Amino acid sequence: MSNEATEKVELLIIGSGPAGYTAAIYAARAGLKPVLYQGIQPGGQLTITTEVENYPGYADGVQGPEMMVHFEKQAARMGADIRYGLATKVDFSQQPYKVEIDEESWIETNAVIICTGASAKWLGLPSEQRLNGFGVSACAVCDGFFFKGKEVAIVGAGDTAAEEALYLSKLCTNVHMIVRRDAMRASKVMQERVLATPNIKVYWNSETDEILGENKTNGVRIHNTKTGEKTEVPISGFFVAIGHQPNSDIFKGFIDMDETGYINTIPGTSKTNLEGVFAAGDVQDKTYRQAVTAAGSGCMAALDAERYLATKGH
Ligand code: NDP
């Protein structure tokens, strides 16, 4: 299909999590008439969480999906043009940049803010899917509090799993850490902390067969890959911490990324290697990954885009 653009806009925002909507709020207020495409999961990862208690301003907490409705309404009220649709391809080889929407039409834009987020990796078990939100979570910082004083399990052995296991160990009675090899990938210092924590029990060479429970999680069945021994552990929460995948595939070849696909931004800014292309939120952040940090970086991206467009005389 030819990439003849059918529409020209000043600023295109791709993605509708906290980063995308915050960028839209700021850009709309600055008079940039941003067009935002929501992507495959309008509202982003927060729409698959339950209660959010750590977003400042919600004194009594808020449901994740409800909070994202608030973000969207606020962006719309400021005048952002919010559209349902998916960016399926980009052509950043020359300016103005071009973005294909829904494999159907092309939009030309003077600046782009990429806020496509990241997706948690899952084990792929049917029970994990069935109990998602009912004891199964991919974010200990978001959901750990709901398991205060209870037993939980966590699967994974990288820095995220180690960090989350330590976080959970402060809230929960016991943390059962399921590690698929006989070694952890996490940095040495994190491993040492995990192993020195009395209420974290590590199950080496272990894989998860099934998360147990009808309507809510009440156990996990694992097996040892060396001995074949099966073990059932009673738990209330099951945390998956086996990594995230940034949603950056369509930008490959145009935008600098690290080896795992996270977009590189110039430290302290939202600027990518291409002038006029900015990135915010989880697609460029593998460390913090919080709604509030994503929103903050969305604000930065809108301000960077505004300054860029002003210097270009747009
Ligand atoms: P990683 O890719 O580093 O680790 C993923 C872990 O999950 C590995 O231990 C891996 O096992 C395990 N795993 C993957 N698939 C499965 C599966 N199907 N079943 C069971 N286990 C599985 O991801 P992280 O999110 O931990 O970290 C990502 C990056 O972010 C890293 O570079 C990390 O150092 C960094 N980070 C830094 C932090 C900090 O500095 N404070 C905090 C958090 C992350 P295996 O080892 O066998 O492959």
Side-chain angles (χ1 to χ4, degrees), residues 121-123 155-163 178-181 183-187 190 206-208 241-244 259-260 262 286-287 289:
K121 290 185 192 161
W122 297 95
L123 296 172
V155 59
D159 278 323
T160 302
E163 206 168 78
I178 306 161
V179 175
R180 69 176 173 184
R181 289 186 292 130
M184 286 190 204
R185 184 183 293 272
S187 53
M190 293 300 280
S206 293
E207 284 180 4
T208 307
I242 61 171
H244 281 76
E259 65 290 348
T260 49
Y262 283 93
K286 63 177 167 194
T287 309
R289 297 197 295 242

Side-chain angles (χ1 to χ4, degrees), residues 64-139:
E66 189 189 343
M67 182 164 105
M68 294 323 296
V69 170
H70 296 164
F71 268 78
E72 181 180 349
K73 272 191 184 160
Q74 190 175 356
R77 187 165 73 82
M78 294 303 144
D81 181 349
I82 298 165
R83 303 177 185 177
Y84 186 72
L86 184 65
T88 39
K89 208 185 274 180
V90 300
D91 180 356
F92 289 169
S93 57
Q94 56 182 31
Q95 291 178 298
Y97 299 126
K98 288 180 180 162
V99 177
E100 185 197 56
I101 304 296
D102 291 334
E103 295 178 341
E104 270 172 18
S105 56
W106 287 84
I107 289 191
E108 229 172 63
T109 182
N110 290 327
V112 184
I113 300 178
I114 301 169
C115 308
T116 45
S119 307
K121 290 185 192 161
W122 297 95
L123 296 172
L125 299 170
S127 54
E128 172 189 58
Q129 208 176 358
R130 186 168 50 80
L131 292 165
N132 199 330
F134 300 94
V136 173
S137 164
C139 180

Side-chain angles (χ1 to χ4, degrees), residues 165-166 169-170 191-201:
L166 290 165
S169 73
K170 297 190 185 90
Q191 290 190 37
E192 281 168 2
R193 277 188 210 154
V194 165
L195 297 174
T197 304
N199 65 338
I200 300 179
K201 179 175 178 185

